[in-house]
Structures are given as C-alpha cells and as structure tokens.
Amino acid sequence: QHSNQCTIACHCSLLLYVAFMPVTFVVKFVDKKKHSKDSVFFRDGVRRIDFVLSYVDDKDGERKQERRRLYEANLVNVGLELEIEDKSESDDGKTYFVKIHAPWEVLATYADVLKIKVPFKANDIPNNSEMPMNWLSTPFRLPEHIMHPEPDFFTAPFDKSKTDFFLIGDKDTFFPPSNRNRIVYYILSRCSYLRDECGDRDKKGIKRLLNNGTYTAAFPLHDCRYWTRSKDANCESDRYSLYKHWAGFFCFFKEQPLNLIRKYYGEKIGIYFAWLGFYTEMLLFAAIVGTICFIYGFLTYDDNQWSKEICSEEVGGNIVMCPLCDKKCGYWKLNSTCNSSWQSHLFDNVATVFFAIFMGIWVTLFLEFWKRRQARLEYEWDLVDFEEEQQKLQLRPEYEAMCTNRKLNRITQEMEPYLPVTSKCARTCLSGATVLLWISLIIACIIGVIAYRLAVYAAFASIMKDSATSNLQVVGPYITPQLATSVTASCINFVIIMILNLMYERVAIWITDMGEGQGERASPILLGFSVFIICFIFVNYYSSCFYVAFFKGKFVGYPGNYAYMFGSNLRNEECDPGGCLIELTTQLVIVMTGKQVWGNIQEALVPWLMNWWGSRKARSHPESLYSRWEQDHDLQEFGQLGLFDEYLEMVIQFGFITLFVASFPLAPLLALINNIIEVRVDAWKLTTQFRRPVAAKAHSIGAWQEILNGMAVLSVVTNAFIVAFTSDMIPRLVYMYTQPDGEMKMKGYISSSLSVFNISAIPLANKYRDYRYPPGHERQYTHTMQFWHILAAKLAFIIIMEHVVFLVKFFVAWMIPDVPSEVKARIKRERYLVQEYLHNYEVEKLKIQLSQNGHNDCTCPPMIYPSLPKHEMLSECL
C-alpha cells in the first residue's frame, strides 16, 4: 500500500511538472524581454550597481577560482552585496560579471573613514560675483541645470555617529555615484583573497587580481548610453548631459560644465579640465599679441634694408661666398639666399623682442591667476580642508605588499609598513641608472640626426647645384639645400621623438613602482615630478630645438681652419646669412604641429577603432538585452597613465610656446587652435570611448604646478639667448647705433657682417659669415673689435632683459594674492557656521539625553556646553 501511494504521488508530481513546464518557460521568456538589462540596478530594480568585476573561466584555472571564491566571500564579510551574471547571459558566452552593491551601513562606515564631506545646511551666503555687462557672455553659457546640477550646501566631514546632523533625505541617493564607487574601490583595493589564517599580507587588492588574470576587468558603470537618456526614472543620465552639452565639437565656444564633470567623474578629472579650459582662455591673449607681432613683420616687409642688399645684383650678386661643405659644395652668390632672408624678417624683427618680454610676463599672469581660480574651485568643491596628508596616511596596497618591515607612525600611532634605507638606496640607484641609460639613448639619437644633417647637406648641395628644382613652378625657387636639410632632419627627429615617446610609458611606471610611493598620491600624477619623466621629456622634445638655437653655426671656424664633428670628415654646420632663426622656426613648427595633430588623431581614432571592433557582435542585439555592464566592458580602460598623458601633452606644448616663442610668435595661436579641439576630443573620448574611471579627489594640479613654474623661469633665459645669439637683432642694432655720421641707417650692414678670404683661383675675394680681420692684416683671421662690441651688447641685452622681466614677474606675483579676498571671507564664514551648528547640535543632543535619563528632579540647567557669544566663537574659529 505504501508503495502504491508513492507511485501515485510520483505520477501526480510528474503530471504537474509537465503541465506547468511550458508556462514556466514562457514566464521566464517574457520577463527577460520586459526587464531591460540596460540598467544600473540589480535584478530587483532597487539596489544600485556600484562596481562590476568580470572574469572568464579558464580550463586550468582552479587557483583562480579559489582566489575568486575567497575574495568574493571576504567582500560579503565586509558588508558588500554581490549578484553574479552567468556566462550564458553574456554577449560572448564566456564572461561572468559580478555586480557589487554597497548598502548604507558600508557607505556610512567608510565615508567616516575617508572623511567624505556631506551637506548639513543649505548655503545662505549671497553670491555677488555678477560681472558688469554679463549679457555679453550669454551665447557662451550653458543651461543653469547643467552648470549647477546640485544645490549649494555647507558641508562637513561625515560622522556615522551624528547621522541626524546631516541632511539625509534618501539613504539610497545621499551619496552620489562618484562617492559610492570611490568607497567600493577603496574596499576592493584592500580586501584579501586568502583566508585570514594564511597571514600573507601580499595577497590582497583588486589590482593584483587583475594583474594575475583572476579578473579581467573592474570598473564602475556609466549611468546610461551617451546618446540617449536612461529609461529608468531613478537614473540621473549625467553621461547624456555631458555628451550633449560638453563633448560635441560644435560646443567649442561654450563654457565647460565643470560642476557636472566633477559630480560625474570626481575632482581629479574636474580639476584637469578646469586647468585646460583656463589655459586655453589665457592663450587667447598671447595669440592676439603674437599675431600682431607677425603682422608687424609682414607690414614692414619692404623696409627690410638688409634683405634688399642680399637680393640686389649690385651687392648680393657680386659677393661670392665660400663653400658650405667640403668637396661636393661649390662657391655660391649671396643673392641665392634672397627668399630665406625675406622669410626670416617675418619673425626676426623689433617686435620679436617685445613679444619675448611680453611672454615672460604672460606666463606669470597665467600661473598667478590660475592659483586664484584653483582656490575658488577648492572652496566650491569642498576641498579647502582636504589635505594631501590625509591621502598619504592611506597607504597604497602595492606599497604595503612591497614592504616587509613595519614601524610606528607618529601621527596615527599605528604600526605601518616601511622600506628600510638600504632598500630605498638600492631602488634609487637602479632607477637613476635607468634614467641615465635612456637619456644616453636620446642623446645618441640626436647626434645621429646632427650627423644626418651634416652628411645630407652635401648631397643636397651637389644635386641642386645645377638648379634641379627650378623646374617646379611654385615652390622651386624656395627649395634650397639648407631648407631641404632642415625640413627632412626635422621630420626624422619628429619620428624619433614619437617612437621614444611610445617606449617611455612602461619604463615610467616601472620607475615609479621602484620608488617609495607610499601614499595614494603616488599614482600617475607623481610621475610628473620624477626625475625620469622631467629629464626624458625635456631632452626628447626640446634637444633638437636647443641644438639649432644655441649650437648650430656657433663652432664653425673659418676657411682653412674649419671645425669638424668629433674629428670626422663632417664639417660643422653654418647658419644661413639670414641667421639660424628661420631654421629654428621650421624645427619648432614641424615638431610642435606634428605632435599636436598626431596626438589628437591618436587620442580619437585608436580607442574608437578598438571599441568598434570589440563590440561588433553585440551591435546586432536589442537594446534591452545588451546589458549596461557589457556595454561598459566593451569600452577601453582609462589606464594608469590616463590623466598623466593629458597633462604631459599640455606641458610639452607649454614648453614650446614659452621656451622658444621668440623664434615663432604664431606658436600661441597654433596652441590655441589645438586646445579648442583638445578640450572636445578629451571630453568626447572620456564620455563615449572609455569606461567610467573611479572617482578620485585632488585639490590642485599637483606636481605639474612646480614644473610649469620651472619652465616659466627657464623661458626668460632661453628667449633672451635666442634674441641675443640666434637672431641677428643685436648685430643690426649695434651697426645702426655705431654709424660714424650719426645717421641710424642699415645701408652697408651685409658687407660689414662678412669677412674676406682670398683664393688665388678666383679674381673676386670670397667671403664668409664672421667678424674677422682680412688676409694681409697683422692680425689676419682673428676676431675684430666689432665682434667684441657685438658680444658685449649681446651679454648686456641678456642681463638687462632677464632682470627687467624677472623684476616684473616677481612684482606681479607679489601684487596678485593666491586666494581672492571674497573666497577667504566665505571660507571663514563657513567655518564659523560649521562650528556654531555643531555646538548647537551637541547641546540639543545632550538635552535629549538628559531628558531621557529622567533629569527632571534636577533644577539646574545643563551647562556642560554653555552658549558662547558669537564674537568669541568667531575669534576661536579664525
């Protein structure tokens, strides 16, 4: 009987299963279609996805499976909630996704640890920053809800024990997504993937798990597709707003929504775009003045007396110049350099001196006004009390893993890892040796380019001696051996720079990891302050310009006693009779423009092509099935050197427009055009082509500020030397002011700047560019007194220009305070209010506690927290 009952039960169960089986599958199918996976929430539609991990199951990945199991178990133990998407649900059928949600308790705990500032009262300080004639800026403005996406509040560091003090409306939205992913990443970076009893401090952190292949990616989610708003009403769609109002190229004339950038990406990325925008605005003034100086050179084209002499048949046509190279080069007439002489006047004129002085002052104004702008952002973004020391106290997981010793931190009174002095010295020596090796490689490349210039000039001279290029209709007359050598050498140098530039990144990361880098600040921004980067970039990008500006044509010798490169048969280069300035201009234009064009193409095209190829299969899926985490997984990672490369690109450009601007007044104009494009390209790629980076705080541009200050000081020196030694400005002025009849005319200047050398085979005396006594003189071929007068004038000009510009720079820096007085007053007011509200909060809290403890029998009022007069509180706060 018992057996029959079991049989009947089994049959009934089977029938019920069969009967309902189709219904079950239909329900699942319908749910999958109705529930869009393009969402930033768990399947319940309530818990927000704060972070996503992805991995692929390997056939022989048992160790990885164990690491993942323990790591995810430890994440759950610290309070995080996980939801796993099976590989069958993924686009490629191989990838698992682990979605992470941080509940309120976890967020509150770590917000307290990280001292994240949160609002406690609406800001009641009136904003009196209205500018006169503000209506003129209307076409450049963005909508108010884009420029100011959040109300302005007074804020204070979060304290979990005082949650009722803060303006907590909805706990699910109190912490914005940028703070949520920052907190989760902090946990992920410190969570171990071993059991507690193993005690191996090395084995922890998501970075190690990514490096060893346990996970393939870790990233926070974008909140929607960039071209359309999210269909979920609870989603902010800030990405769409950024794309529409910021990342489009046709928004180039609009202001940047810095507050929205900060809200979505964090303060570190926000401060970069604030600096880039301010730098671009300041370039406008430099570009206007530089263009005026160039126009002045163009308008005074016909007043150029020395170029007229070079081009005339009476002067230039009768002067036979000595060969510019041995064997293959022949004698040539001075008027063959007519075109280059006219071109040189466009940049080598009186306005050049004015512009060099102007740029020395402009740099100071730029840096000082940026400090004021930065101070205002610090106040508006609640970074006034943000100390880098707080981040230094948060040890990097990589640094902790590197250290085997521990010592007491005098500030926190806790034991922390540290590297002994011997280990630091060994790492420093190894890093220094690597630096020297790479700089030696760069110098060898530069010497190779110089050797190319010397060797190929003779080849071009022999090819063009019969005017082989004169058949070209337009450009033929302008192509000379000097121009051909300069352009080809500059292009080769540019290619070498780009190749070396691709190689430095890996070495830079390795150098930094070898260093101390114990704080969170030891991230890519500190690379900018490392000796390796400064030396490498300086030598790599600027060495060729320094060679043309300060070495070419300075160590030539004279006919019969020429100087040769390292004892070889390659004779040192001479400058054109019009000077080396036009060649420096050519070098600067090719390297600077080529770097900017190539950089923008590379930044925009490469990630777009990689994303297009990576998501080719998923594009055929319906939107509801192409999940938000898969969409972001198919994007490019915002790498370790993401912001560092952006800063570096702009700092290199800053060097070009300051260090050598005396040779090319249009450099700021080219930089301005590039930066207008650069802002939008950076915004476009960050919004559309990259995964959302983890939000990070920064109250300044960091070490780059000191690098810019150093370049600003060096630029005064280099421009003074360019005007004095590379340009012909000083020799012309000396000649004009030393005319015996007192008339300041330039007639005869060309003949006075050339020296004579007799060759018996040619009836006319040959000339070369120098100031030496002629043959037959008792001091033949030694420098004349005119040479020493010009040299004294050059040195005097350098000293005077440097002292004048430095005096004005220091005076301007002293006159302009780093922090605006209005911001100082607001900071004091806010600190006062914070102290007052905290005091009142503690008093009210104490009253409630006493009332709950039955203090009614006591007739004395609580005086533990007496009410202080306001002026006492204010003075204490100040």
Side-chain angles (χ1 to χ4, degrees), residues 5-176:
Q5 288 177 353
C6 290
T7 305
I8 293 170
C10 289
H11 279 284
C12 290
S13 301
L14 182 60
L15 287 172
L16 288 170
Y17 176 78
V18 173
F20 285 98
M21 182 173 64
V23 177
T24 305
F25 281 124
V26 169
V27 170
K28 283 188 176 180
F29 180 75
V30 170
D31 282 349
K32 189 173 179 181
K33 284 293 184 182
K34 284 184 177 180
H35 177 66
S36 174
K37 296 176 72 177
D38 188 15
S39 170
V40 294
F41 294 95
F42 276 16
R43 296 188 193 100
D44 57 16
V46 176
R47 292 174 293 172
R48 189 183 186 101
I49 302 172
D50 297 313
F51 226 86
V52 174
L53 308 179
S54 68
Y55 64 89
V56 177
D57 246 348
D58 299 333
K59 293 180 180 178
D60 54 347
E62 292 183 3
R63 293 184 62 188
K64 293 179 181 178
Q65 288 180 9
E66 180 66 12
R67 289 193 203 116
R68 282 194 293 268
R69 188 182 66 79
L70 292 171
Y71 186 67
E72 290 167 15
N74 289 335
L75 292 179
V76 172
N77 289 339
V78 298
L80 296 179
E81 297 175 3
L82 310 183
E83 186 175 83
I84 298 178
E85 291 286 332
D86 191 73
K87 65 180 180 181
S88 61
E89 299 288 325
S90 66
D91 167 51
D92 58 4
K94 300 177 183 177
T95 307
Y96 293 84
F97 291 95
V98 180
K99 298 176 289 184
I100 302 175
H101 168 75
W104 168 257
E105 277 300 316
V106 174
L107 293 173
T109 300
Y110 283 93
D112 195 346
V113 171
L114 296 174
K115 302 301 178 187
I116 293 176
K117 285 192 171 184
V118 293
F120 70 90
K121 181 184 182 298
N123 191 341
D124 58 358
I125 301 178
N127 188 0
N128 301 320
S129 59
E130 289 292 326
M131 298 291 291
M133 301 183 70
N134 206 23
W135 57 270
L136 290 174
S137 62
T138 302
F140 309 104
R141 291 183 192 164
L142 290 173
E144 183 65 20
H145 72 280
I146 299 297
M147 288 303 298
H148 302 286
E150 295 177 323
D152 194 11
F153 292 102
F154 291 128
T155 59
F158 185 78
D159 188 339
K160 189 179 178 182
S161 64
K162 302 175 182 176
T163 53
D164 53 336
F165 174 73
F166 302 100
L167 299 178
I168 302 175
D170 184 355
K171 290 183 177 181
D172 291 334
T173 59
F174 180 67
F175 291 106

Side-chain angles (χ1 to χ4, degrees), residues 4 73 77 322 326 351 362 381 445 518 552 586 589 624 629 643 650 659 775 842:
N4 290 337
N77 289 339
C322 292
D326 296 340
W362 174 88
W381 291 357
C445 293
Q518 66 185 52
K552 183 180 176 182
T586 304
V589 169
S624 60
W629 45 92
L643 267 190
M650 289 297 103
L659 297 176
E842 293 292 347

Side-chain angles (χ1 to χ4, degrees), residues 418-437:
Y418 85 104
L419 282 174
V421 176
T422 53
S423 179
K424 289 181 182 179
C425 291
R427 292 170 183 273
T428 303
C429 292
L430 186 57
S431 301
T434 307
V435 170
L436 293 177
L437 177 64

